[in-house]
Amino acid sequence: MSINEIPEPALYTDMYQLTMCQGYYKAGMHYKEAHFDFFFRKAPFAGEYVIFAGLADVLSVLKDFRFNRDELDWLEQQGFSTDFLKYLEKYRFDGTVISAREGEVVFPGQPVLTVSGSLLSCQLVETLLLNILNFQSLIATKARRLRLAAGDTTQLVDFGLRRGHGAGGIAASRAAVIGGFNASSNVLAAKRYGFPASGTMAHSWVQCFENELDAFRTYARYYPDATILLVDTYDTLRSGVPNAITVGRELEEKGHRLKGIRLDSGNQIELSHKSRSMLDDAGLNYVAIVASDQMDEKRITELREKQAPIDYFGVGTRLVTGYPDAALGGVYKISSLDGRPSMKTTDEASKRNLPGVKEIIRVTESDGKFKRDIIRLADDGGTTDSDRSFVSRSGNHENIRFMVMKDGRPAEHEVDVSAIADFCNTRIARLPDPIKRLKDPKRYELVLDDDLSSLIEELSP
């Protein structure tokens, strides 16, 4: 089950969201115009950027967001008032969403997405929105780091469903492809989102036969053009690879080709080099080598630095769990109410939010590389004349946020996962290398315009 299949999305929330909404209603505040921003304060994995993912799923849920009779009856049992429940009976989400495109490269402190509309509508969807965007953005970012470690030509396959957090494994596979993976073992996600399904075999297949060679031959008989043999069940170099070579030659005689072998344990630097030599000596230079077993960007980087001849990496646990960070700390804060800018002023300065209705202008160098992002107030253009000249002097620039939902109705937005992944590839290619490096990345420049800075100072205690 994915988020889009939850039968009661209106209750996919925290209780305090509903109690606050009832309070707004009873206080006569529920209709007031509000703006809430989704942003994160720190990028995961000791990095400096995030791949924004989950937008299409958010919009899909919001367009049908309403309360059914059973939900209202249950809320009545929890003590919610009759007049509030009558209001919810007719309620439909009617907010407007301004957002960066899915697959965009975004940075800490930016209002990546803004929900505007009635205070009740904005508040009601907070938990649902954070649940989807935080998880998928985390996994897409992890996938992009793995892609950067593996290089552009090595294939990356998501093996993570068995270690995924319940139905979240479906969303994880989607996010992995957005972030740069080529395929997934997750059959349901592949069918639903239209990307390739890929798999090899398990050790249990090999163990179910009298001997390893019979296991390999049987599998190759049924899948002569898609056979990847798991060669480490017993002894990789003395048994697994020699038997794979035997089957590879037999397939050649029948007009087919062995697709690959998989290494799932042991010293994969040594094993991959020796396996490659054995395959090449046998005339099977086209047979790919797949490596799996607790892969992450550190391990893949090590294997590549040692020039391990690996063509595919299968990545599972450390992809779909967002290892080692486990969560993106995205938050959702009110920035304007009833036409008045609002800012959380707290003892901890890092937890303050940016007030007002804003936009993000991305400035690029003459070679197309991203240079800096400027956050400015969107009302009446949102900048002073000096700020506008600063933007134009800095080179090409673009507003990276767009209206993706108006009054509860989705506007045109990309839903095809492959197209979103292609967009992500074009954007990450424009990010300077020092900012996206895996170790000690350089910080991306984020600038607040003069009007926004003045507003922050005005609202600060």
Side-chain angles (χ1 to χ4, degrees):
M1 183 184 294
S2 71
I3 187 68
N4 293 328
E5 294 177 307
I6 291 174
E8 298 175 312
L11 296 187
Y12 198 75
T13 189
D14 294 304
M15 178 61 85
Y16 82 110
Q17 308 288 10
L18 292 166
T19 57
M20 285 192 295
C21 285
Q22 178 171 257
Y24 294 146
Y25 176 80
K26 288 185 173 295
M29 300 170 56
H30 61 289
Y31 64 90
K32 291 188 175 183
E33 182 184 14
H35 294 77
F36 279 69
D37 294 331
F38 165 75
F39 63 97
F40 55 95
R41 299 184 177 101
K42 181 182 178 182
F45 315 121
E48 287 297 331
Y49 67 89
V50 160
I51 302 300
F52 179 53
L55 177 64
D57 282 352
V58 166
L59 299 178
S60 177
V61 176
L62 292 184
K63 70 181 177 62
D64 296 317
F65 191 92
R66 64 196 65 192
F67 291 83
N68 64 38
R69 186 69 260 163
D70 288 342
E71 293 165 350
L72 294 170
D73 289 344
W74 186 85
L75 289 175
E76 184 176 24
Q77 295 170 18
Q78 309 311 306
F80 286 89
S81 66
T82 301
D83 57 339
F84 178 59
L85 296 177
K86 284 184 178 178
Y87 176 85
L88 292 184
E89 187 174 9
K90 298 179 180 179
Y91 173 81
R92 303 290 184 271
F93 179 77
D94 57 359
T96 292
V97 181
I98 307 292
S99 176
R101 287 178 61 178
E102 191 163 12
E104 181 64 272
V105 183
V106 293
F107 302 96
Q110 295 180 325
V112 179
L113 175 148
T114 299
V115 179
S116 59
S118 69
L119 176 58
L120 185 143
S121 277
C122 293
Q123 189 75 70
L124 200 54
V125 301
E126 174 180 0
T127 300
L128 181 68
L129 183 148
L130 288 175
N131 176 267
I132 298 172
L133 298 183
N134 276 331
F135 180 65
Q136 290 201 37
S137 297
L138 177 79
I139 304 305
T141 306
K142 184 69 172 182
R144 176 48 57 177
R145 290 174 60 83
L146 287 157
R147 168 53 64 199
L148 290 170
D152 293 334
T153 59
T154 304
Q155 298 286 299
L156 290 174
V157 183
D158 157 37
F159 281 4
L161 182 57
R162 65 184 58 198
R163 302 288 171 78
H165 296 166
I170 299 171
S173 296
R174 177 185 188 274
V177 172
I178 288 173
F181 271 54
N182 302 98
S184 174
S185 67
N186 187 334
V187 177
L188 179 57
K191 175 183 179 295
R192 178 168 298 157
Y193 297 114
F195 48 75
S198 179
T200 59
M201 60 169 60
H203 294 101
S204 57
W205 172 274
V206 180
Q207 293 172 261
C208 284
F209 290 81
E210 188 70 23
N211 57 66
E212 186 178 57
L213 184 56
D214 284 347
F216 287 179
R217 280 173 168 159
T218 304
Y219 198 88
R221 183 187 315 140
Y222 299 142
Y223 309 104
D225 297 308
T227 294
I228 299 177
L229 299 173
L230 183 58
V231 295
D232 73 330
T233 304
Y234 302 119
D235 189 305
T236 299
L237 297 179
R238 290 190 291 181
S239 172
V241 176
N243 283 331
I245 289 171
T246 298
V247 172
R249 286 170 169 165
E250 291 172 353
L251 283 170
E252 276 190 341
E253 292 174 359
K254 298 174 183 177
H256 303 286
R257 281 188 165 190
L258 177 63
K259 185 173 182 180
I261 63 169
R262 177 158 71 100
L263 306 172
D264 192 50
S265 61
N267 183 336
Q268 292 176 324
I269 296 172
E270 178 184 355
L271 290 175
S272 63
H273 279 291
K274 290 184 176 180
S275 296
R276 182 76 274 160
S277 294
M278 293 168 70
L279 290 166
D280 291 351
D281 290 346
L284 301 177
N285 61 303
Y286 56 83
V287 175
I289 296 178
V290 181
S292 54
D293 185 32
Q294 300 302 317
M295 290 292 164
D296 59 15
E297 57 266 51
K298 181 179 178 180
R299 178 64 176 151
I300 291 174
T301 298
E302 179 187 11
L303 288 164
R304 292 194 71 211
E305 287 176 347
K306 298 294 185 179
Q307 297 183 327
I310 295 170
D311 306 287
Y312 290 72
F313 288 103
V315 190
T317 303
R318 297 189 177 191
L319 167 67
V320 302
T321 63
Y323 176 89
D325 282 9
L328 175 67
V331 295
Y332 181 81
K333 300 297 181 183
I334 188 168
S335 61
S336 175
L337 178 64
D338 210 17
R340 292 180 291 103
S342 177
M343 185 176 78
K344 176 183 176 183
T345 59
T346 176
D347 292 338
E348 192 172 345
S350 64
K351 289 195 173 184
R352 297 177 184 180
N353 67 295
L354 299 178
V357 183
K358 301 165 290 292
E359 61 186 7
I360 304 173
I361 302 300
R362 180 157 294 171
V363 181
T364 60
E365 302 278 14
S366 58
D367 63 358
K369 293 287 187 180
F370 299 148
K371 183 176 183 179
R372 65 170 62 91
D373 284 6
I374 302 170
I375 306 176
R376 65 188 191 188
L377 294 173
D379 295 336
D380 300 321
T383 59
T384 64
D385 290 338
S386 62
D387 285 321
R388 291 194 188 97
S389 62
F390 167 71
V391 172
S392 62
R393 287 200 312 271
S394 301
N396 296 327
H397 57 277
E398 60 177 322
N399 192 328
I400 69 167
R401 305 201 318 165
F402 308 89
M403 182 180 293
V404 294
M405 174 171 276
K406 183 173 176 60
D407 300 330
R409 295 184 295 274
E412 184 176 347
H413 64 282
E414 188 61 70
V415 298
D416 181 76
V417 173
S418 296
I420 296 170
D422 288 344
F423 174 71
C424 179
N425 285 333
T426 64
R427 303 302 275 183
I428 202 73
R430 298 176 64 183
L431 189 64
D433 289 341
I435 296 167
K436 60 188 176 186
R437 63 192 176 204
L438 298 177
K439 289 184 178 180
D440 301 318
K442 181 181 178 181
R443 179 157 296 182
Y444 185 73
E445 185 179 4
L446 204 64
V447 177
L448 305 185
D449 85 333
D450 290 344
D451 286 353
L452 180 54
S453 296
S454 296
L455 179 60
I456 293 170
E457 184 176 353
E458 176 185 333
L459 296 177
S460 296

